[in-house]
């Protein structure tokens, strides 16, 4: 709030002024005094408080015990303020009387005052209620003791009759749309009309015009209407002064998430303008400011409860969908199939979209991020997901070519972690990239920068370019557990696979056969002995293990993990003609996690004693943690095309209970 100002007073004159409650008006008494004056006195009405600064000392000129005369000296200043609003124009006054030597009165000067209360208010303490004149409303701080109002990016679509998100139009279609916005109240109190020459203006900086929109609620006799008054081309709005004690309701929406060019903060100002004379432009005599932060987009980790599971219905995955449906029913969530007219032959649901949400004290709703890969599923999030209380956002590179690393199998998020005393209560985003010294594939910059700009899930870049597809979910995932750690990190491990196979070989099971019933296998019989004696495969998996271990060290450091927090699942890879790794058998790490129920790619490992030893080892690692393993046959549907169960499905999850504004980035 700013509004203290100086008036020029002249002996023999009376001037009129508007005084905003909580501000002070200063008058240079010495400069206003007539020739021969040596002292002065002050009288004022009851609603005015007066202070006199005389010879460097400040005295209360309103107190009954204060002196009635003060000596005139250079620098003598009168400051007055008002504590209550006027009921009529000029209903308060301050009179200054000047006296000559000996006490003879010489002349007077006066100010007629109209007091007006004015406050632009928001929910600065984040309790869902717009409080009056919060002292912290013009700033924004993080943490449990922080303050500052919060905006939602209004990226859902309340009306089925509009082609785009609510943020793309300047209309309010129903009251549900208002619930996505943050309430802002302009409170005024004063006479029935403002004195001539004054007006109230609401405005935003040019730099915020594409980031925030404001609607005003009109209440004519035939019903409420909501008028778009600020945002895009509209930088200011002249507010109609009502008179008396009034509250004008405004509704504020965010127009974009934070990104590389927008840190997330927007400001809105209200100013009381005054013109000195006819034909002279208005100048502000009082300004009040509020600051909002646009809520970030937050990704949900595997450890949060599932709500909906999405899968594409293809000609060749009927049996897979049947198995997934059983798993989903067991987990107590919903299966939603995307049929051919929408998926257009694209089965990679995980790669097209990433589910997250946005959250303010008054509202939370899911938001899907659309990847720039734009395969056959390109229209799915817009046609099937975008709707009431389900938002949509996309990030498209302007000039950069996209690669496989821009698919969202390449986005993972850890559960909440604490690293060297620093808490990440919403976890950390993991994205795959090239080795820091190489010029390999990286996630496109616009998506990468967007993820960093959200601030609350500080990303970690991993090395995934060694894989043919190049996604982090091919070598790392997280599962919830019921112990004090609450989760485990699972990693694909050729070393664990070779260790298991050598154990079985020592037990006399070297001729145990892999790939029994495997629809994608060639006619050659593959045994444990053949795998262990294949020197090229051994060397290739030593290389893969080094790549995994490099990431393992980064993850331990960046997520604050120990070896006890990591479970190594047996995995084998082979290198393609470009030297990139592809799974040798279905990769069990690339699983779907539905609370305690895991849908794991069936690995078709060596059958020992009537059971796949890879499945048996995986069960022995995960079931003691309270998890239920279900192995799903995905060879024909996904593995044969370098994907697995996770790649062909996607899970919308419940949001965190934790309030993101309590984070300290």
């Amino acid at each position: 709030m700013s509004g203290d100002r100086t008036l020029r007073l002249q002996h023999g004159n009376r001037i009129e002024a508007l005084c905003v409650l909580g501000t002070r008006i200063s008058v240079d008494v010495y400069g206003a005094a007539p020739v021969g004056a040596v002292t002065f006195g002050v009288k004022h009405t009851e609603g005015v408080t007066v202070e006199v600064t005389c010879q460097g000392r400040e005295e209360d000129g309103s107190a009954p015990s204060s002196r009635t005369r003060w000596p005139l000296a250079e620098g003598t200043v009168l400051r007055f303020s008002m504590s209550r609003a006027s009921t009529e124009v000029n209903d308060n006054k301050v009179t200054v009387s000047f006296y000559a030597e000996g006490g003879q009165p010489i002349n007077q000067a006066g100010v007629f005052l109209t007091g007006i209360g004015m406050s632009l208010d928001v929910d600065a303490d984040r309790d869902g209620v717009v409080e009056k004149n919060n002292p912290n409303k013009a700033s924004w701080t993080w943490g449990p003791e922080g303050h500052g109002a919060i905006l939602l990016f209004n990226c859902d679509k309340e009306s089925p009759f509009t082609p785009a998100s609510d943020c793309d139009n300047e209309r309010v279609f129903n009251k549900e749309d208002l619930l996505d916005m943050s309430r802002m109240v302009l409170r005024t109190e004063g006479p029935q009309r403002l004195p001539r020459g004054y007006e109230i203006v609401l405005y935003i900086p040019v730099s915020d015009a594409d980031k925030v929109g404001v609607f005003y609620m009109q209440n004519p006799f035939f019903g409420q209407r909501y008028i778009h008054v600020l945002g895009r081309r509209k930088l200011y709005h002249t507010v109609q002064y009502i008179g008396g004690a009034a509250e004008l309701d405004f509704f504020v929406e965010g127009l974009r998430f934070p990104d590389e060019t927008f840190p997330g903060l927007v400001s809105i100002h209200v100013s009381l303008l005054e013109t000195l004379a006819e034909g002279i432009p208005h100048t502000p005599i009082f300004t009040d400011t509020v600051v909002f932060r646009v809520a970030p987009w937050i990704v949900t980790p595997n450890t949060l409860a599932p709500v909906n599971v999405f899968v594409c219905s293809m000609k060749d995955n009927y049996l897979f969908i049947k198995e997934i449906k059983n798993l989903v029913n067991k987990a107590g969530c919903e299966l939603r199939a995307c049929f051919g007219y929408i998926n257009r032959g694209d089965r990679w649901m995980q790669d097209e979209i990433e589910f997250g949400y946005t959250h303010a004290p008054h509202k939370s709703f899911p938001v899907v991020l659309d990847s720039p890969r734009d395969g056959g599923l390109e229209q799915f999030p817009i046609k099937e997901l975008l709707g009431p209380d389900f938002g949509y956002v996309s990030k498209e590179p302007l000039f950069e070519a996209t690669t496989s690393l821009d698919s969202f199998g390449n986005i993972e998020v850890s559960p909440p972690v604490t690293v060297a005393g620093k808490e990440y209560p919403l976890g950390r985003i993991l994205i795959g990239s090239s080795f820091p010294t190489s010029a390999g594939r990286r996630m496109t910059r616009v998506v990468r920068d967007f993820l960093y700009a959200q601030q609350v899930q500080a990303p970690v870049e991993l090395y995934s370019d060694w894989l043919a597809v190049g996604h982090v979910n091919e070598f790392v995932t997280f599962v919830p557990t019921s112990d004090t750690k609450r989760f485990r990190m699972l990693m694909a491990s050729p070393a664990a696979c070779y260790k298991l196979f050598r154990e079985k070989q020592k037990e006399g099971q070297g001729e145990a056969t892999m790939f029994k019933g495997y629809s994608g296998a060639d006619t050659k019989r593959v045994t444990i002995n053949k795998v262990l004696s294949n020197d090229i495969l051994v060397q290739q998996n030593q290389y893969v293990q080094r790549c995994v271990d490099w990431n393992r060290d980064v993850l331990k450091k960046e997520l604050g993990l120990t070896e006890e927090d990591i479970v190594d699942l047996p995995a084998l890879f082979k290198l393609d003609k470009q030297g990139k790794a592809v799974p040798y058998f279905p990769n069990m790490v690339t699983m779907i996690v539905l609370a305690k129920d895991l849908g794991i790619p069936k690995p078709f490992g060596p059958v020992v004693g009537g059971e796949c030893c890879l499945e048996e080892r995986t069960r022995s690692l995960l079931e003691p943690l309270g998890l239920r393993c279900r192995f799903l046959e995905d060879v024909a549907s996904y593995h044969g095309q370098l994907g697995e169960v996770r790649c062909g499905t996607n899970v919308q999850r419940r949001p965190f209970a934790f309030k993101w504004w309590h984070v300290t980035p």
Side-chain angles (χ1 to χ4, degrees), residues 116-146:
I116 179 172
M118 192 166 149
S119 171
L120 188 60
D121 293 325
V122 291
D123 177 19
D125 60 4
R126 306 167 182 166
D127 64 354
V129 178
V130 177
E131 63 275 7
K132 187 171 183 179
N133 216 9
N134 188 306
N136 297 316
K137 64 187 179 182
S139 60
W140 209 98
T141 58
W142 296 89
E145 305 303 318

Side-chain angles (χ1 to χ4, degrees), residues 13 272 510:
N13 284 348
L272 179 63

Side-chain angles (χ1 to χ4, degrees), residues 625-648:
L625 300 173
L627 299 164
R628 292 185 289 263
C629 301
R630 188 183 186 100
F631 293 91
L632 308 177
E633 207 272 80
D634 73 349
V635 174
S637 310
Y638 302 101
H639 176 75
Q641 299 176 56
L642 300 184
E644 306 291 2
V645 174
R646 176 81 179 275
C647 314

Side-chain angles (χ1 to χ4, degrees), residues 83-335:
S83 57
R84 63 172 183 255
S86 296
T87 54
E88 295 179 13
V89 173
N90 296 336
D91 62 356
N92 281 271
K93 67 177 180 177
V94 176
T95 303
V96 181
S97 301
F98 297 100
Y99 301 92
E101 196 78 53
Q104 295 90 358
I106 301 179
N107 210 334
Q108 289 184 328
V111 183
F112 285 103
L113 292 170
T114 304
I116 179 172
M118 192 166 149
S119 171
L120 188 60
D121 293 325
V122 291
D123 177 19
D125 60 4
R126 306 167 182 166
D127 64 354
V129 178
V130 177
E131 63 275 7
K132 187 171 183 179
N133 216 9
N134 188 306
N136 297 316
K137 64 187 179 182
S139 60
W140 209 98
T141 58
W142 296 89
E145 305 303 318
H147 60 258
I150 293 167
L151 274 187
L152 291 172
F153 173 27
N154 194 9
C155 57
D156 67 342
K157 187 172 93 164
E158 301 296 346
S159 170
F161 306 111
T162 58
S165 303
D166 292 339
C167 61
D168 293 327
N169 59 65
E170 297 179 0
R171 294 171 61 191
V172 173
F173 288 93
N174 51 40
K175 290 194 174 180
E176 283 69 34
D177 195 12
L178 290 181
L179 297 176
D180 299 337
M181 304 185 196
S182 295
R183 186 166 167 254
M184 179 175 71
V185 180
L186 177 59
R187 294 182 167 103
T188 57
E189 188 179 3
Q192 291 306 305
R193 60 175 181 84
L194 287 176
R196 280 188 60 187
Y198 293 94
E199 67 179 30
I200 299 171
V201 172
L202 197 69
Y203 60 98
I204 54 175
V206 176
S207 58
D208 288 349
D210 61 341
K211 303 173 183 75
V212 65
V214 180
F215 292 83
Y216 170 55
M217 187 182 79
Q218 279 189 338
N219 197 7
F221 59 90
F222 53 83
Q224 295 173 335
R225 286 198 310 150
Y226 300 93
I227 312 299
H228 183 260
V229 294
L230 290 179
R232 297 192 175 88
R233 297 170 306 282
K234 299 170 186 170
L235 298 179
Y236 71 94
H237 167 68
T238 302
V239 178
Q240 184 179 355
Y241 176 78
I242 294 175
E247 291 190 355
L248 303 183
D249 278 340
F250 295 88
F251 294 88
V252 189
E253 65 177 355
L255 299 182
R256 59 196 262 201
F257 279 119
D259 57 34
E260 67 278 7
T261 62
F262 171 43
L265 294 176
V266 295
S267 56
I268 302 175
H269 312 276
V270 66
S271 285
L272 179 63
L273 305 183
E274 176 187 63
T275 182
L276 297 172
E278 194 81 32
I280 302 293
H282 284 87
T283 53
I285 61 169
F286 169 82
T287 298
D288 208 7
T289 298
V290 295
V291 169
F292 290 92
R293 180 177 289 280
V294 178
W297 180 72
I298 301 168
V299 200
T300 51
N302 286 348
T303 47
L304 291 174
V307 178
N308 291 305
V309 176
F310 294 84
V311 63
C312 289
S313 177
M314 314 296 293
K315 291 177 181 176
D316 59 7
N317 75 343
Y318 169 76
L319 293 175
F320 175 79
I321 287 183
K322 195 174 176 183
E323 284 197 82
I324 278 284
K325 188 169 181 58
N326 290 336
L327 180 73
V328 166
N329 290 342
K330 201 172 179 182
C333 48
E334 295 290 320
L335 182 68

Side-chain angles (χ1 to χ4, degrees), residues 405 433-435 437-442 465 580:
L405 271 68
S433 192
S434 54
F435 194 71
T437 58
S438 74
R441 297 168 296 173
R442 289 188 83 191
D465 191 32
K580 302 290 186 183

Side-chain angles (χ1 to χ4, degrees), residues 449-512:
D449 288 349
F450 173 76
L451 297 176
Y452 277 94
Q454 306 314 304
Q455 296 194 67
V456 296
Q457 294 177 301
V460 178
E461 289 197 47
L462 299 173
Y463 172 40
S464 66
D465 191 32
W466 56 274
L467 288 150
V469 176
H471 293 174
V472 289
N473 72 7
E474 295 177 80
F475 62 86
V476 64
T477 193
F478 299 88
V479 292
T481 61
S482 48
D483 56 11
T484 51
K485 183 66 185 180
R486 313 299 298 167
F487 73 90
R488 292 292 188 279
M489 182 171 77
L490 311 186
M491 297 202 79
S493 174
C497 188
Y498 276 105
K499 182 172 181 285
L500 172 64
F501 282 9
R502 288 191 190 103
E503 287 173 12
K504 297 303 175 187
Q505 188 182 52
K506 282 180 182 176
E507 293 168 8
Q509 303 290 344
E511 288 303 305

